[in-house]
Amino acid sequence: PEQFGVPRYEGTPEENARMLRVAGRVLGASDMGFVKLNEKTKKLLYGFIRFENVEKGYDAGDGTFVLPDKDLWVICAVIPQSLWMAQYTDRMSWASANTAAYSRANIYSNRMNVFLRGLGYQHYGGNTGSVGRNVGFGVMSGMGEYGRAGILISPQWGTNIRCTMLTVTDLPLAETKPIDAGIIKFCRVCKKCAEMCPSGAIPKNDNPWWGGEKSWQAKGIEGWYQDAKKCYAYMLGGDPDCSRCQAVCPFTKFDEAVMHDLVRMSISSTPALNGIIRQLDDVFGYGKQRGTDLWDEDPMNIPLWGLDSSRS
């Protein structure tokens, strides 16, 4: 706006939040939430971020980045991933669910930053390098809950999302709040991701615990702690961008599967049924791998970008 000599956009936090959610869907985000940075939520930022009494943020050149010490919000956007592609054992690293979603995530991030700049507001981060713990911000923004595999589980999209993209801005936004959709309770009895993990990286303990003793793990979280070294070593060993834990999660299935809206409602209110729901997921064969015959598919039957149109 200052380049064109016009005032910047001004709206209420509620109007701004709705505007960004609409823009986010157009630009490629499944959903979006907002967290205000305060004494507590700043702890979710990575250590290279620091705050100073400046008007605009800047790269300090010493490996740290300075943010202005004023009111700031974090835009938390979840990016859709191809469940269709994740279900193939021949994942093809150049087109897998993971890498394709990362590409779309960076495109979304660039366009969101341009959108914010056009409104007259600052933006920091936003790319897949991240400025903070994306699962933690995903939980705090209400995009999902912390699941057994150590990744975010959304009640709408399951684990079929590629990280939470974090963009810091000074555009005032109405905060969204953490949710309790019964997902953690379901994870206690389900264990499907742990049973199907080919590397054995996901724990099968019934209950989460206060961990973080490994150098790569975050302290201060009561949850299940994935052995990231086992996971990564398996992927580097020949099964690129595995995604098995995401593909088999009962919450990840398409709407016509066992995890339809009525079942989601029962999970949040009647956890006693969780074991039966997990068994039904197995009985109906949801989460099975499609095999390696991707090249035999009719091209016109392949979802565009591998995304189911009803859940894009």
Side-chain angles (χ1 to χ4, degrees), residues 37 67 72-75 122-124 131 166-170:
L37 288 178
L67 289 177
L72 296 173
W73 290 260
V74 179
I75 303 167
Q122 299 178 46
H123 56 83
Y124 308 98
V131 294
L166 308 176
T167 305
V168 182
T169 184
D170 58 348

Side-chain angles (χ1 to χ4, degrees), residues 86-158:
Q87 290 175 330
Y88 275 94
T89 50
D90 179 14
R91 282 175 189 80
M92 306 176 302
S93 60
W94 52 269
S96 70
N98 292 14
T99 52
Y102 275 126
S103 296
R104 287 193 297 272
N106 279 314
I107 293 170
Y108 151 81
S109 169
N110 177 67
R111 292 176 175 175
M112 179 54 66
N113 287 347
V114 170
F115 185 76
L116 291 167
R117 187 171 72 244
L119 295 172
Y121 291 86
Q122 299 178 46
H123 56 83
Y124 308 98
N127 58 30
T128 52
S130 194
V131 294
R133 301 194 177 277
N134 60 66
V135 175
F137 274 110
V139 170
M140 292 302 294
S141 64
M143 293 294 95
E145 296 183 47
Y146 181 94
R148 177 178 290 276
I151 52 182
L152 190 72
I153 302 181
S154 159
Q156 296 105 330
W157 322 107

Side-chain angles (χ1 to χ4, degrees), residues 28-30 78-82 97 100-101 104 160-162 307 311-312:
S30 293
V78 289
I79 306 299
Q81 181 171 289
S82 172
R104 287 193 297 272
N160 199 42
I161 45 180
R162 181 46 38 193
L307 300 175
R311 294 167 60 86
S312 64

